[in-house]
Amino acid sequence: MQSDKINEIFEYMTELFGKNPASELNYTHPHELLIAIILSAQCTDKRVNIVTGKLFKKYKTLNDFANANLAELEQDIYSTGFYKNKAKNIKSMAQLVIQNHNGEIPNTLADLEKLPGVGRKTASVFICEYLKQPAIPVDTHVQRVANRLGFSTSKNPRGIERDLAKILDQNNWARYHLQLVLFGRYHCKSQNPQCQTCEIKHHCNYNR
C-alpha cells in the first residue's frame, strides 16, 4: 500500500481526534482497566463507565474481586450483557493474578492471554493503553474501517492484525489503533456511515 495514502488517512484522523487520543474507558488502577476491557465486550464504553463508576467504589482492590460473591457480582455488572460469563471470568482472573503474579497484572501478551476472559484483543488493548507498548488490537470498528479503507481484505482479526502490522509504523500502533476505533465508532459506522462529510472517502471501498 502506498505510504502517501496511509499518511493522508491518518493525518485526517489526527485532525478529528488529535495525535494522542485517549481511551474512553474510565479507570485508575491496572486491574480496573483490564476489568473494564472485559466488560466492554459486546457493550459500549459509555455503558461500561456507568457500571464501573459504582463497581470500582464497591470493589476497591483485586482481592475484593477475587473474594466477591459471584451472584452479587453478576447483578453488579448485569447491564453490560453476558454478565454470568463476565462475572465468572473477572473473579477467576483476579484469583489467578493473585496466585500466579503476586497480585500484579502481567505485562506480556502471552501471560495476559492465559487469564480467564482475556483474549488477544483484550490483552492487546491493555498492552497499548496501560503499558504503552506497541500492539494492534482488532475490534469490530478496526475490522470495519480496515476493510473499507483497503488496509486488509481479511475478515479474521488475526489476519487484519498481521496486515496492519506490515503497513503501519510500529512506533504509532497504539495511536493508530485508537484513531481507527474512534473513526469507526463515530464516523465510519456499520449503519449509515457519514460518507457525505468524510474527507478520505476517495480511498474507501464502501463509498465506491
Side-chain angles (χ1 to χ4, degrees):
M1 176 174 286
Q2 296 178 343
S3 60
D4 56 347
K5 172 182 175 179
I6 295 172
N7 291 337
E8 181 184 350
I9 287 171
F10 284 103
E11 283 175 5
Y12 177 59
M13 292 189 187
T14 298
E15 290 177 12
L16 292 174
F17 309 113
K19 193 170 183 178
N20 296 297
S23 169
E24 295 188 320
L25 291 172
N26 296 332
Y27 68 94
T28 302
H29 304 290
H31 74 271
E32 292 180 348
L33 173 61
L34 188 58
I35 289 168
I37 301 169
I38 292 171
L39 292 175
S40 71
Q42 305 297 315
C43 185
T44 66
D45 286 2
K46 182 178 180 180
R47 167 55 54 184
V48 171
N49 287 337
I50 291 172
V51 170
T52 56
K54 297 179 180 178
L55 190 72
F56 296 154
K57 290 178 182 178
K58 180 175 180 178
Y59 305 92
K60 300 185 188 308
T61 67
L62 198 62
N63 276 299
D64 291 339
F65 282 102
N67 296 319
N69 177 278
L70 190 58
E72 190 173 341
L73 181 58
E74 288 175 357
Q75 291 307 305
D76 291 331
I77 65 170
Y78 177 83
S79 64
T80 66
F82 301 97
Y83 62 96
K84 286 187 176 294
N85 280 339
K86 288 179 180 178
K88 179 182 176 182
N89 285 333
I90 288 170
K91 182 178 172 71
S92 297
M93 177 276 292
Q95 292 173 337
L96 201 61
V97 168
I98 291 168
Q99 291 171 8
N100 296 350
H101 301 281
N102 297 316
E104 300 289 336
I105 303 298
N107 59 6
T108 68
L109 276 174
D111 284 339
L112 282 164
E113 287 185 79
K114 292 176 184 177
L115 300 176
V118 181
R120 187 169 184 85
K121 187 212 77 173
T122 298
S124 295
V125 172
F126 183 86
I127 288 284
C128 275
E129 171 63 19
Y130 193 79
L131 299 176
K132 307 302 180 187
Q133 296 176 2
I136 306 180
V138 177
D139 65 1
T140 56
H141 299 301
V142 173
Q143 177 173 337
R144 180 171 63 257
V145 175
N147 287 160
R148 288 179 176 176
L149 291 177
F151 289 154
S152 175
T153 58
S154 177
K155 301 300 180 184
N156 180 277
R158 288 298 296 272
I160 294 170
E161 180 184 340
R162 285 191 290 268
D163 289 340
L164 290 173
K166 291 176 184 176
I167 63 173
L168 300 181
D169 178 5
Q170 184 177 6
N171 293 325
N172 293 317
W173 280 358
R175 169 167 70 92
Y176 290 157
H177 157 253
L178 269 176
Q179 288 176 331
L180 289 169
V181 168
L182 294 171
F183 188 65
R185 184 174 293 164
Y186 297 114
H187 295 268
C188 194
K189 302 175 184 178
S190 177
Q191 302 296 325
N192 301 316
Q194 298 177 3
C195 300
Q196 67 279 6
T197 60
C198 181
E199 295 182 14
I200 53 174
K201 62 185 176 184
H202 52 289
H203 292 306
C204 181
N205 295 322
Y206 180 89
N207 186 64
R208 296 195 188 102

